[in-house]
Amino acid sequence: MFDSLTLTRIPAEAEALRAPVRAFLADAVKDMPADRRARSWSGFDAQFSRDLGAQGWIGLTLPTEYGGGGKSLFARFVLVEELLRAGAPVAAHWIADRQSAPHILKFGTAEQAAFYLPRICRGEAFFCIGMSEPGSGSDLASVRTRAKRTPTGWQLDGQKIWTTNAHRSQYMIALVRTSGETGDRQKGLSQVIVDLSLPGITIRPITDVAGDSHFCEVFFDGVQLAADALIGAEGDGWNQVTSELAFERSGPERIYSSVVLLDEWLAYLRAKGNPSDASLVLAGRVLSTMTVLRSLSVSVNGALAAGESPVVEAALVKDMGTSLEQFIPAAIADALGDDPEAALPEALARTLRYVSQVAPSFSLRGGTREVLRGMIARGLGLR
Ligand SMILES: Cc1cc2nc3c(=O)[nH]c(=O)nc-3n(C[C@H](O)[C@H](O)[C@H](O)COP(=O)(O)OP(=O)(O)OC[C@H]3O[C@@H](n4cnc5c(N)ncnc54)[C@H](O)[C@@H]3O)c2cc1C
């Protein structure tokens, strides 16, 4: 098992991107407070995304004929790693760049690619993921939202939930039922691209525990879609979604969600001087675990670059990565709590508060820990 996961290094030509990206980001995020940077891939800033697009850093792996960078998945790994390390507010273009654009390239028609991809690369078309519904989260095969054939295209009725940034995106790629009944499970599912400005769509943001509004409920009431809204083959939605999830689960964003907090804490220890043994042990433990996970994530990236579909390996990276992401705020809070004399800088206190509040969601978004562990057990032949 996992014999396909060869330990991989990032090639030098991809590493060459690191310095220019780091220089750009040093300037772009210099005035952003740490608790804002800690939001990173949840931080929405359309202008930042357009600026990044102007650098040619959205759609880095897409063909140049569609406005992309024509670079390797390793170059994108370097770019994403630097964006997350800096805590750049990447949410606006994040989903389009990570999964919608490669998905359209892989399953869409040439017309769809020519229409959507150049605007994605310029940071002008933002996408959201319409998979989850009330009662259909982990059990995604039970989706009830339905697209029915009409003489001109499709009529869409139903509801999605937890749709990240639906209220700020132009498009959703939605998993819908195009034939049969909910009991048919994976059969009869398809994917459609939905223009979120169409009549019959109501989007209601949901406020999270930290007071942010990023995910939404989305209602479809007799929405009329054109025939070319279908992406890929009718009835092939399940296979398509599964391939999309390998991209969604394996990236460095599943390791680095708490990295801005970690950096703030390390900066605090350095400034304070004479760190306790317990703090040094904790820092070493976190950094060594992160290093191993990074190698795993690079290797999964290598498998994706080789055209494989490392679904189980991606689940493994996400499960272990999110465990580390959740360990970091809890362990830092404990370490600081052990030092009653500590006068915490406000930036560190705010960042710790924010990351501690949202950390439980790290192992929910993109598929829950329990579901991923079920997949890993199946991959090991244990179920
Ligand atoms: C911050 C955030 C952003 C999100 N963004 C999006 C988005 O953009 N688009 C989108 O479509 N969805 C999004 N989601 C939804 C997310 O994918 C779902 O919350 C997740 O898949 C779980 O589904 P659920 O909430 O219905 O929980 P349920 O599926 O009801 O699960 C409840 C509990 O039961 C456990 N459980 C369920 N089934 C099993 C099983 N077979 N074996 C063992 N345990 C099981 C789960 O692990 C969980 O602990 C987002 C969620 C979060 C937190």
Side-chain angles (χ1 to χ4, degrees), residues 12 17 40 56 64 84 100 105 182 187 199 226 268 272 278 312 325 370:
L17 189 62
S40 190
T64 49
L84 296 172
S100 315
L105 186 68
T182 307
K187 275 191 269 168
Y268 159 78
K272 185 167 140 298
V312 176
E325 291 178 337
E370 292 74 18

Side-chain angles (χ1 to χ4, degrees), residues 41-62:
W41 62 288
S42 299
F44 192 99
D45 184 336
Q47 186 56 50
F48 176 84
S49 292
R50 281 191 289 271
D51 293 346
L52 207 66
Q55 296 290 324
W57 292 339
I58 302 181
L60 201 62
T61 61
L62 298 181

Side-chain angles (χ1 to χ4, degrees), residues 95 129-133 135-139 161-164 214-215 361 364-371:
I95 286 165
I129 305 165
M131 294 189 193
S132 305
E133 300 182 3
S136 302
S138 304
D139 186 19
I161 194 166
W162 313 124
T163 322
T164 298
H214 44 90
F215 44 28
S361 74
L364 295 175
R365 59 187 184 185
T368 68
R369 167 170 291 137
E370 292 74 18
V371 166

Side-chain angles (χ1 to χ4, degrees), residues 23-222:
F24 170 84
L25 290 172
D27 186 50
V29 307
K30 68 177 186 308
D31 297 326
M32 288 182 198
D35 62 314
R36 178 159 174 227
R37 289 187 292 106
R39 282 162 169 81
S40 190
W41 62 288
S42 299
F44 192 99
D45 184 336
Q47 186 56 50
F48 176 84
S49 292
R50 281 191 289 271
D51 293 346
L52 207 66
Q55 296 290 324
W57 292 339
I58 302 181
L60 201 62
T61 61
L62 298 181
T64 49
E65 64 184 289
Y66 294 124
K71 299 268 194 311
S72 70
L73 275 175
F74 289 107
R76 184 174 181 276
F77 190 98
V78 168
L79 171 69
V80 166
E81 192 166 44
E82 288 304 314
L83 289 166
L84 296 172
R85 190 193 66 87
V90 290
H93 68 274
W94 191 251
I95 286 165
D97 179 75
R98 178 180 70 188
Q99 64 197 78
S100 315
H103 203 63
I104 291 169
L105 186 68
K106 185 169 177 188
F107 294 109
T109 61
E111 289 73 25
Q112 285 171 329
F115 181 73
Y116 294 108
L117 300 189
R119 288 190 297 144
I120 289 176
C121 293
R122 291 196 297 270
E124 293 169 4
F126 305 142
F127 277 67
C128 57
I129 305 165
M131 294 189 193
S132 305
E133 300 182 3
S136 302
S138 304
D139 186 19
L140 197 54
S142 68
V143 299
R144 277 169 296 176
T145 295
R146 185 172 286 276
K148 255 197 244 157
R149 283 252 186 222
T150 67
T152 54
W154 304 90
Q155 174 169 318
L156 187 61
D157 290 281
Q159 182 194 346
K160 295 291 171 183
I161 194 166
W162 313 124
T163 322
T164 298
N165 288 321
H167 57 323
R168 296 152 162 165
S169 299
Q170 290 88 353
Y171 302 103
M172 169 194 286
I173 296 187
L175 181 68
V176 299
R177 198 158 286 286
T178 43
S179 67
E181 300 305 320
T182 307
D184 294 336
R185 313 281 300 156
Q186 290 93 340
K187 275 191 269 168
L189 295 177
S190 304
Q191 286 186 299
V192 286
I193 305 181
V194 184
D195 176 342
L196 294 170
S197 67
L198 286 171
I201 299 179
T202 308
I203 302 176
R204 280 198 219 134
I206 303 167
T207 305
D208 77 5
V209 70
D212 292 343
S213 295
H214 44 90
F215 44 28
C216 303
E217 293 178 292
V218 184
F219 300 89
F220 307 109
D221 186 8

